[in-house]
Amino acid sequence: MCGIIGYLGYREAYHILINGLKKLEYRGYDSSGISIINKNGYSLFKTKGKVNELEKKIYSFKNKLTGTVGIGHTRWATHGEPNDINAHPHVSNSNNLVMIHNGIIENYHAIKIILLKNGYTFNSKTDTEVLVNLIEYIKYENNLSLEEAVRVSLNEIIGAYSIAILEKSNPETIIIAKLGSPLIIGIGKKEFFIASDPIPFINYTKNVIYMKDGEMAILKKNKELDLRKIINNHKLNPIIKRLKINLKEIEKGEYKYFMLKEICEQPKTILDTLRGRLLISKKIICINGIESNKEKFINANSIIIVACGTSWHAGLIGEYLLEKYTRIPVEVEYSSEFRYRNPIIGKKDIVIVISQSGETADTLSALKLAKKKGAFVFGICNVVGSSIARNVNAGVYIHAGPEIGVASTKAFTSQITILTLIALKIGKYKSIISDLSYKEICKELSLIPEKINYVIKYNSSIKKISNLLYYTNNFIYLGRGINFPVALEGALKLKEISYIHAEGFPAAEMKHGPMALIDKNIPVIVISPLKGSYKKMLSNIQEIKARRGKIIALINKDDVQVRMLADHVINIPDTIEELSPLITVIPLQLLAYQIAFLRGKNIDQPRNLAKSVTVE
Ligand code: M6R
């Protein structure tokens, strides 16, 4: 994780770096720092806490922070607790090199021992301080330029990194390199920006280079970018892409938190996901990545979905949809488990990787493993140009727009939307789904945004329930069938932003153990639309009620029976069973938001978490 930023050009670097770091805080926010260099040397400030703590610290020294070249970092701690000393940038023993790093150097301990033997000392507990000193050691021992020393050093290390280095004696240069962690270069007129994602510099330039693994670049004032391969120093031709991001998408506007904005955006983001793909008048679904690989999907032996967190929950919903409409066996795996268990997959299997950020380290590794084993890998990503998007055999973007709140919301509903389209498309190819159901589902899918809008607009019961329950310490979420993953997702949302313990279960599993938890104090959120296993759910609710559990039920307007049993109800519009998760998840997102809000939490930046998990 961690966010890195850098600037080299003709503008004062300070505001670019600080404002950029604020936009990167979703990647980590336990400490931050910046360094700005000019011909008189460099200044460096770092501190525990968020970027506004850094700003406060710098405030009285601001005049000293002049210069048009600099780097900055916001941290999510891996090696060493979050404190001032472990914050980046880190400086080499001679004070000549200053470095920021996102990633993990796995063999840092062995390198540290060698450096200690050679008289090096260390202030922090970080792997980054080891790397910057390794570069210095190799530079001086072999009388190399910084550029050469960086290359030699990086060929010695094992791990993942995106780094940026300044050299005191060479104040008009930044050297950067990437392996495993994202790094993007923004190309302006006589200026370069670097960052972990393009959002920090989007209002200066939309021309970007997505660095690839194993590349380094030398950025010099008034010079062309020099891009090289780390392994052999071969010069590379940079490929410049033009970004299409609307600035409004990355601002909070009238909302207090990005999470609320992103929840409320869902009627629009689902339409964006459907745009050009669900051609309702022609009753056609178009997904290029599926169409151009039609035979592979039709003849697949199995589909394995790999993902983490909320994307994994979307995968579980995908399993129901794909098995129902395509009759291809589907398994859903956590990326972190899949990658370490030597899975049995081959040429006739399809691995679908789902990732909002497209940078999740475990999912990226799972993808690489699946490819190595010969499977066809299909990606479902939100962030355009992300590492996962670039590494898959084929894929589709969900087009949900930038998701900034750490708790994923709009990406989830767009992922489900895409999975529905994929399942329908393959089902149609295989003639498993009838024309009638196909048309009916397509029609209903086009109505979903309006139904979500209704839930968002008329949510007064959610506010009322939140007011009654926000002090509670444990919650249970129950669903059945396609709404079981929604129960998991509802519990995850509550946990991550309000720090309340919550668990999701398939409702029928309660009597196999969890029922022991039920008493009059524990709220049980039941997802109980009239379709599907409604009757079974009704019995499960009665079982809980008999043990004095407090029932909060998501129900349709015409439901009389659950309404009578429940302590509180949240009304949801009716839809067909297969599409119901798109609706049932919305009140659960709002409930988590309201409760976290009442508990006074920093909703967009929950403790200990980061938006993009680029470490294992
Ligand atoms: O970017 P990804 O979809 O790969 O991220 C996966 C998880 O880290 C992510 O969904 C996480 O669980 C969210 N914080 C959940 O809200």
PDB file of all heavy atoms in Angstrom, residues 440-465:
ATOM      1  N   GLU A 440     -36.831 -10.918 -20.120  1.00  0.00           N
ATOM      2  CA  GLU A 440     -37.402 -10.444 -18.854  1.00  0.00           C
ATOM      3  C   GLU A 440     -36.281  -9.894 -17.947  1.00  0.00           C
ATOM      4  O   GLU A 440     -36.418  -8.811 -17.357  1.00  0.00           O
ATOM      5  CB  GLU A 440     -38.115 -11.612 -18.159  1.00  0.00           C
ATOM      6  CG  GLU A 440     -38.916 -11.192 -16.948  1.00  0.00           C
ATOM      7  CD  GLU A 440     -39.177 -12.367 -15.988  1.00  0.00           C
ATOM      8  OE1 GLU A 440     -38.809 -13.516 -16.302  1.00  0.00           O
ATOM      9  OE2 GLU A 440     -39.708 -12.108 -14.907  1.00  0.00           O
ATOM     10  N   ILE A 441     -35.168 -10.631 -17.882  1.00  0.00           N
ATOM     11  CA  ILE A 441     -34.078 -10.182 -16.992  1.00  0.00           C
ATOM     12  C   ILE A 441     -33.454  -8.887 -17.531  1.00  0.00           C
ATOM     13  O   ILE A 441     -33.164  -7.961 -16.782  1.00  0.00           O
ATOM     14  CB  ILE A 441     -33.011 -11.283 -16.821  1.00  0.00           C
ATOM     15  CG1 ILE A 441     -33.664 -12.552 -16.265  1.00  0.00           C
ATOM     16  CG2 ILE A 441     -31.906 -10.835 -15.871  1.00  0.00           C
ATOM     17  CD1 ILE A 441     -32.817 -13.797 -16.386  1.00  0.00           C
ATOM     18  N   CYS A 442     -33.263  -8.857 -18.862  1.00  0.00           N
ATOM     19  CA  CYS A 442     -32.676  -7.643 -19.457  1.00  0.00           C
ATOM     20  C   CYS A 442     -33.561  -6.430 -19.148  1.00  0.00           C
ATOM     21  O   CYS A 442     -33.080  -5.361 -18.782  1.00  0.00           O
ATOM     22  CB  CYS A 442     -32.515  -7.782 -20.960  1.00  0.00           C
ATOM     23  SG  CYS A 442     -31.218  -8.922 -21.406  1.00  0.00           S
ATOM     24  N   LYS A 443     -34.845  -6.600 -19.310  1.00  0.00           N
ATOM     25  CA  LYS A 443     -35.783  -5.504 -19.072  1.00  0.00           C
ATOM     26  C   LYS A 443     -35.691  -5.062 -17.598  1.00  0.00           C
ATOM     27  O   LYS A 443     -35.578  -3.877 -17.291  1.00  0.00           O
ATOM     28  CB  LYS A 443     -37.197  -6.007 -19.427  1.00  0.00           C
ATOM     29  CG  LYS A 443     -38.324  -5.129 -19.018  1.00  0.00           C
ATOM     30  CD  LYS A 443     -38.930  -4.454 -20.249  1.00  0.00           C
ATOM     31  CE  LYS A 443     -39.861  -3.319 -19.937  1.00  0.00           C
ATOM     32  NZ  LYS A 443     -40.863  -3.577 -18.950  1.00  0.00           N
ATOM     33  N   GLU A 444     -35.716  -6.045 -16.717  1.00  0.00           N
ATOM     34  CA  GLU A 444     -35.696  -5.738 -15.289  1.00  0.00           C
ATOM     35  C   GLU A 444     -34.369  -5.072 -14.897  1.00  0.00           C
ATOM     36  O   GLU A 444     -34.332  -4.156 -14.081  1.00  0.00           O
ATOM     37  CB  GLU A 444     -35.925  -7.028 -14.482  1.00  0.00           C
ATOM     38  CG  GLU A 444     -36.037  -6.837 -12.987  1.00  0.00           C
ATOM     39  CD  GLU A 444     -37.170  -5.910 -12.526  1.00  0.00           C
ATOM     40  OE1 GLU A 444     -38.148  -5.739 -13.263  1.00  0.00           O
ATOM     41  OE2 GLU A 444     -37.045  -5.351 -11.410  1.00  0.00           O
ATOM     42  N   LEU A 445     -33.279  -5.530 -15.519  1.00  0.00           N
ATOM     43  CA  LEU A 445     -31.961  -4.934 -15.232  1.00  0.00           C
ATOM     44  C   LEU A 445     -31.983  -3.437 -15.553  1.00  0.00           C
ATOM     45  O   LEU A 445     -31.433  -2.616 -14.818  1.00  0.00           O
ATOM     46  CB  LEU A 445     -30.895  -5.670 -16.067  1.00  0.00           C
ATOM     47  CG  LEU A 445     -29.430  -5.512 -15.712  1.00  0.00           C
ATOM     48  CD1 LEU A 445     -29.175  -5.730 -14.231  1.00  0.00           C
ATOM     49  CD2 LEU A 445     -28.576  -6.493 -16.527  1.00  0.00           C
ATOM     50  N   SER A 446     -32.654  -3.105 -16.633  1.00  0.00           N
ATOM     51  CA  SER A 446     -32.685  -1.692 -17.024  1.00  0.00           C
ATOM     52  C   SER A 446     -33.518  -0.854 -16.025  1.00  0.00           C
ATOM     53  O   SER A 446     -33.397   0.366 -15.988  1.00  0.00           O
ATOM     54  CB  SER A 446     -33.231  -1.536 -18.441  1.00  0.00           C
ATOM     55  OG  SER A 446     -34.611  -1.830 -18.434  1.00  0.00           O
ATOM     56  N   LEU A 447     -34.347  -1.520 -15.206  1.00  0.00           N
ATOM     57  CA  LEU A 447     -35.171  -0.778 -14.238  1.00  0.00           C
ATOM     58  C   LEU A 447     -34.488  -0.635 -12.871  1.00  0.00           C
ATOM     59  O   LEU A 447     -34.952   0.113 -12.010  1.00  0.00           O
ATOM     60  CB  LEU A 447     -36.517  -1.484 -14.039  1.00  0.00           C
ATOM     61  CG  LEU A 447     -37.361  -1.695 -15.303  1.00  0.00           C
ATOM     62  CD1 LEU A 447     -38.621  -2.473 -14.965  1.00  0.00           C
ATOM     63  CD2 LEU A 447     -37.742  -0.339 -15.927  1.00  0.00           C
ATOM     64  N   ILE A 448     -33.408  -1.379 -12.686  1.00  0.00           N
ATOM     65  CA  ILE A 448     -32.754  -1.416 -11.369  1.00  0.00           C
ATOM     66  C   ILE A 448     -32.290  -0.023 -10.896  1.00  0.00           C
ATOM     67  O   ILE A 448     -32.511   0.348  -9.738  1.00  0.00           O
ATOM     68  CB  ILE A 448     -31.582  -2.436 -11.360  1.00  0.00           C
ATOM     69  CG1 ILE A 448     -32.129  -3.861 -11.439  1.00  0.00           C
ATOM     70  CG2 ILE A 448     -30.668  -2.265 -10.160  1.00  0.00           C
ATOM     71  CD1 ILE A 448     -32.817  -4.395 -10.199  1.00  0.00           C
ATOM     72  N   PRO A 449     -31.645   0.793 -11.752  1.00  0.00           N
ATOM     73  CA  PRO A 449     -31.183   2.098 -11.248  1.00  0.00           C
ATOM     74  C   PRO A 449     -32.308   2.906 -10.606  1.00  0.00           C
ATOM     75  O   PRO A 449     -32.125   3.511  -9.548  1.00  0.00           O
ATOM     76  CB  PRO A 449     -30.634   2.781 -12.507  1.00  0.00           C
ATOM     77  CG  PRO A 449     -30.185   1.637 -13.373  1.00  0.00           C
ATOM     78  CD  PRO A 449     -31.192   0.555 -13.133  1.00  0.00           C
ATOM     79  N   GLU A 450     -33.498   2.882 -11.211  1.00  0.00           N
ATOM     80  CA  GLU A 450     -34.621   3.648 -10.660  1.00  0.00           C
ATOM     81  C   GLU A 450     -35.046   3.086  -9.305  1.00  0.00           C
ATOM     82  O   GLU A 450     -35.369   3.828  -8.365  1.00  0.00           O
ATOM     83  CB  GLU A 450     -35.782   3.620 -11.672  1.00  0.00           C
ATOM     84  CG  GLU A 450     -36.815   4.701 -11.468  1.00  0.00           C
ATOM     85  CD  GLU A 450     -36.235   6.049 -11.028  1.00  0.00           C
ATOM     86  OE1 GLU A 450     -35.337   6.615 -11.700  1.00  0.00           O
ATOM     87  OE2 GLU A 450     -36.666   6.499  -9.959  1.00  0.00           O
ATOM     88  N   LYS A 451     -34.993   1.790  -9.167  1.00  0.00           N
ATOM     89  CA  LYS A 451     -35.385   1.155  -7.892  1.00  0.00           C
ATOM     90  C   LYS A 451     -34.367   1.484  -6.792  1.00  0.00           C
ATOM     91  O   LYS A 451     -34.730   1.693  -5.639  1.00  0.00           O
ATOM     92  CB  LYS A 451     -35.530  -0.362  -8.079  1.00  0.00           C
ATOM     93  CG  LYS A 451     -36.661  -0.689  -9.047  1.00  0.00           C
ATOM     94  CD  LYS A 451     -37.020  -2.150  -9.078  1.00  0.00           C
ATOM     95  CE  LYS A 451     -38.231  -2.330 -10.000  1.00  0.00           C
ATOM     96  NZ  LYS A 451     -38.726  -3.678 -10.070  1.00  0.00           N
ATOM     97  N   ILE A 452     -33.108   1.537  -7.168  1.00  0.00           N
ATOM     98  CA  ILE A 452     -32.075   1.901  -6.184  1.00  0.00           C
ATOM     99  C   ILE A 452     -32.288   3.356  -5.751  1.00  0.00           C
ATOM    100  O   ILE A 452     -32.180   3.711  -4.573  1.00  0.00           O
ATOM    101  CB  ILE A 452     -30.658   1.701  -6.767  1.00  0.00           C
ATOM    102  CG1 ILE A 452     -30.404   0.214  -7.005  1.00  0.00           C
ATOM    103  CG2 ILE A 452     -29.596   2.303  -5.853  1.00  0.00           C
ATOM    104  CD1 ILE A 452     -29.058  -0.116  -7.591  1.00  0.00           C
ATOM    105  N   ASN A 453     -32.619   4.160  -6.721  1.00  0.00           N
ATOM    106  CA  ASN A 453     -32.896   5.565  -6.431  1.00  0.00           C
ATOM    107  C   ASN A 453     -33.975   5.701  -5.360  1.00  0.00           C
ATOM    108  O   ASN A 453     -33.874   6.515  -4.439  1.00  0.00           O
ATOM    109  CB  ASN A 453     -33.386   6.225  -7.725  1.00  0.00           C
ATOM    110  CG  ASN A 453     -32.893   7.629  -7.830  1.00  0.00           C
ATOM    111  OD1 ASN A 453     -32.189   8.119  -6.932  1.00  0.00           O
ATOM    112  ND2 ASN A 453     -33.256   8.286  -8.901  1.00  0.00           N
ATOM    113  N   TYR A 454     -34.977   4.856  -5.481  1.00  0.00           N
ATOM    114  CA  TYR A 454     -36.087   4.869  -4.526  1.00  0.00           C
ATOM    115  C   TYR A 454     -35.555   4.548  -3.116  1.00  0.00           C
ATOM    116  O   TYR A 454     -35.885   5.227  -2.141  1.00  0.00           O
ATOM    117  CB  TYR A 454     -37.151   3.851  -4.978  1.00  0.00           C
ATOM    118  CG  TYR A 454     -38.268   3.692  -3.979  1.00  0.00           C
ATOM    119  CD1 TYR A 454     -39.394   4.512  -4.028  1.00  0.00           C
ATOM    120  CD2 TYR A 454     -38.191   2.723  -2.974  1.00  0.00           C
ATOM    121  CE1 TYR A 454     -40.412   4.379  -3.098  1.00  0.00           C
ATOM    122  CE2 TYR A 454     -39.201   2.582  -2.036  1.00  0.00           C
ATOM    123  CZ  TYR A 454     -40.306   3.412  -2.103  1.00  0.00           C
ATOM    124  OH  TYR A 454     -41.300   3.278  -1.181  1.00  0.00           O
ATOM    125  N   VAL A 455     -34.713   3.516  -3.015  1.00  0.00           N
ATOM    126  CA  VAL A 455     -34.187   3.124  -1.689  1.00  0.00           C
ATOM    127  C   VAL A 455     -33.372   4.280  -1.099  1.00  0.00           C
ATOM    128  O   VAL A 455     -33.454   4.580   0.101  1.00  0.00           O
ATOM    129  CB  VAL A 455     -33.298   1.854  -1.799  1.00  0.00           C
ATOM    130  CG1 VAL A 455     -32.758   1.451  -0.436  1.00  0.00           C
ATOM    131  CG2 VAL A 455     -34.068   0.702  -2.416  1.00  0.00           C
ATOM    132  N   ILE A 456     -32.587   4.927  -1.953  1.00  0.00           N
ATOM    133  CA  ILE A 456     -31.725   6.012  -1.451  1.00  0.00           C
ATOM    134  C   ILE A 456     -32.574   7.201  -0.987  1.00  0.00           C
ATOM    135  O   ILE A 456     -32.292   7.811   0.044  1.00  0.00           O
ATOM    136  CB  ILE A 456     -30.705   6.423  -2.539  1.00  0.00           C
ATOM    137  CG1 ILE A 456     -29.715   5.266  -2.743  1.00  0.00           C
ATOM    138  CG2 ILE A 456     -29.966   7.709  -2.172  1.00  0.00           C
ATOM    139  CD1 ILE A 456     -28.832   5.394  -3.951  1.00  0.00           C
ATOM    140  N   LYS A 457     -33.629   7.485  -1.741  1.00  0.00           N
ATOM    141  CA  LYS A 457     -34.466   8.655  -1.411  1.00  0.00           C
ATOM    142  C   LYS A 457     -35.306   8.426  -0.160  1.00  0.00           C
ATOM    143  O   LYS A 457     -35.454   9.309   0.669  1.00  0.00           O
ATOM    144  CB  LYS A 457     -35.410   8.941  -2.582  1.00  0.00           C
ATOM    145  CG  LYS A 457     -34.852   9.956  -3.548  1.00  0.00           C
ATOM    146  CD  LYS A 457     -35.968  10.478  -4.417  1.00  0.00           C
ATOM    147  CE  LYS A 457     -35.416  11.399  -5.475  1.00  0.00           C
ATOM    148  NZ  LYS A 457     -36.126  11.207  -6.735  1.00  0.00           N
ATOM    149  N   TYR A 458     -35.899   7.237  -0.074  1.00  0.00           N
ATOM    150  CA  TYR A 458     -36.853   7.003   1.022  1.00  0.00           C
ATOM    151  C   TYR A 458     -36.236   6.073   2.058  1.00  0.00           C
ATOM    152  O   TYR A 458     -36.594   4.911   2.177  1.00  0.00           O
ATOM    153  CB  TYR A 458     -38.171   6.433   0.468  1.00  0.00           C
ATOM    154  CG  TYR A 458     -38.778   7.371  -0.547  1.00  0.00           C
ATOM    155  CD1 TYR A 458     -38.668   7.104  -1.897  1.00  0.00           C
ATOM    156  CD2 TYR A 458     -39.408   8.541  -0.133  1.00  0.00           C
ATOM    157  CE1 TYR A 458     -39.178   7.989  -2.833  1.00  0.00           C
ATOM    158  CE2 TYR A 458     -39.916   9.432  -1.067  1.00  0.00           C
ATOM    159  CZ  TYR A 458     -39.800   9.154  -2.405  1.00  0.00           C
ATOM    160  OH  TYR A 458     -40.295  10.028  -3.328  1.00  0.00           O
ATOM    161  N   ASN A 459     -35.263   6.615   2.798  1.00  0.00           N
ATOM    162  CA  ASN A 459     -34.549   5.728   3.722  1.00  0.00           C
ATOM    163  C   ASN A 459     -34.703   6.170   5.177  1.00  0.00           C
ATOM    164  O   ASN A 459     -33.831   5.896   6.001  1.00  0.00           O
ATOM    165  CB  ASN A 459     -33.076   5.619   3.319  1.00  0.00           C
ATOM    166  CG  ASN A 459     -32.346   6.934   3.451  1.00  0.00           C
ATOM    167  OD1 ASN A 459     -32.804   7.812   4.178  1.00  0.00           O
ATOM    168  ND2 ASN A 459     -31.222   7.065   2.793  1.00  0.00           N
ATOM    169  N   SER A 460     -35.824   6.825   5.494  1.00  0.00           N
ATOM    170  CA  SER A 460     -35.961   7.357   6.859  1.00  0.00           C
ATOM    171  C   SER A 460     -35.939   6.239   7.911  1.00  0.00           C
ATOM    172  O   SER A 460     -35.438   6.420   9.018  1.00  0.00           O
ATOM    173  CB  SER A 460     -37.221   8.186   6.986  1.00  0.00           C
ATOM    174  OG  SER A 460     -38.294   7.388   6.599  1.00  0.00           O
ATOM    175  N   SER A 461     -36.432   5.048   7.552  1.00  0.00           N
ATOM    176  CA  SER A 461     -36.423   3.955   8.541  1.00  0.00           C
ATOM    177  C   SER A 461     -34.978   3.551   8.872  1.00  0.00           C
ATOM    178  O   SER A 461     -34.697   3.137   9.998  1.00  0.00           O
ATOM    179  CB  SER A 461     -37.210   2.758   8.032  1.00  0.00           C
ATOM    180  OG  SER A 461     -36.632   2.286   6.841  1.00  0.00           O
ATOM    181  N   ILE A 462     -34.079   3.692   7.906  1.00  0.00           N
ATOM    182  CA  ILE A 462     -32.679   3.311   8.157  1.00  0.00           C
ATOM    183  C   ILE A 462     -32.080   4.263   9.193  1.00  0.00           C
ATOM    184  O   ILE A 462     -31.385   3.841  10.129  1.00  0.00           O
ATOM    185  CB  ILE A 462     -31.857   3.331   6.847  1.00  0.00           C
ATOM    186  CG1 ILE A 462     -32.457   2.329   5.860  1.00  0.00           C
ATOM    187  CG2 ILE A 462     -30.376   3.043   7.119  1.00  0.00           C
ATOM    188  CD1 ILE A 462     -31.851   2.314   4.489  1.00  0.00           C
ATOM    189  N   LYS A 463     -32.403   5.537   9.047  1.00  0.00           N
ATOM    190  CA  LYS A 463     -31.896   6.528  10.021  1.00  0.00           C
ATOM    191  C   LYS A 463     -32.449   6.213  11.407  1.00  0.00           C
ATOM    192  O   LYS A 463     -31.727   6.259  12.402  1.00  0.00           O
ATOM    193  CB  LYS A 463     -32.300   7.937   9.607  1.00  0.00           C
ATOM    194  CG  LYS A 463     -31.461   8.446   8.465  1.00  0.00           C
ATOM    195  CD  LYS A 463     -31.551   9.958   8.335  1.00  0.00           C
ATOM    196  CE  LYS A 463     -30.668  10.394   7.174  1.00  0.00           C
ATOM    197  NZ  LYS A 463     -31.301  11.325   6.290  1.00  0.00           N
ATOM    198  N   LYS A 464     -33.745   5.900  11.457  1.00  0.00           N
ATOM    199  CA  LYS A 464     -34.392   5.611  12.749  1.00  0.00           C
ATOM    200  C   LYS A 464     -33.735   4.390  13.411  1.00  0.00           C
ATOM    201  O   LYS A 464     -33.364   4.418  14.590  1.00  0.00           O
ATOM    202  CB  LYS A 464     -35.891   5.333  12.514  1.00  0.00           C
ATOM    203  CG  LYS A 464     -36.782   5.783  13.656  1.00  0.00           C
ATOM    204  CD  LYS A 464     -38.257   5.725  13.274  1.00  0.00           C
ATOM    205  CE  LYS A 464     -38.726   4.277  13.344  1.00  0.00           C
ATOM    206  NZ  LYS A 464     -39.966   4.028  12.631  1.00  0.00           N
ATOM    207  N   ILE A 465     -33.531   3.352  12.627  1.00  0.00           N
ATOM    208  CA  ILE A 465     -32.940   2.112  13.174  1.00  0.00           C
ATOM    209  C   ILE A 465     -31.502   2.380  13.629  1.00  0.00           C
ATOM    210  O   ILE A 465     -31.064   1.923  14.694  1.00  0.00           O
ATOM    211  CB  ILE A 465     -32.998   0.982  12.112  1.00  0.00           C
ATOM    212  CG1 ILE A 465     -34.459   0.637  11.812  1.00  0.00           C
ATOM    213  CG2 ILE A 465     -32.234  -0.249  12.562  1.00  0.00           C
ATOM    214  CD1 ILE A 465     -34.669  -0.184  10.557  1.00  0.00           C
TER     215      ILE A 465
END
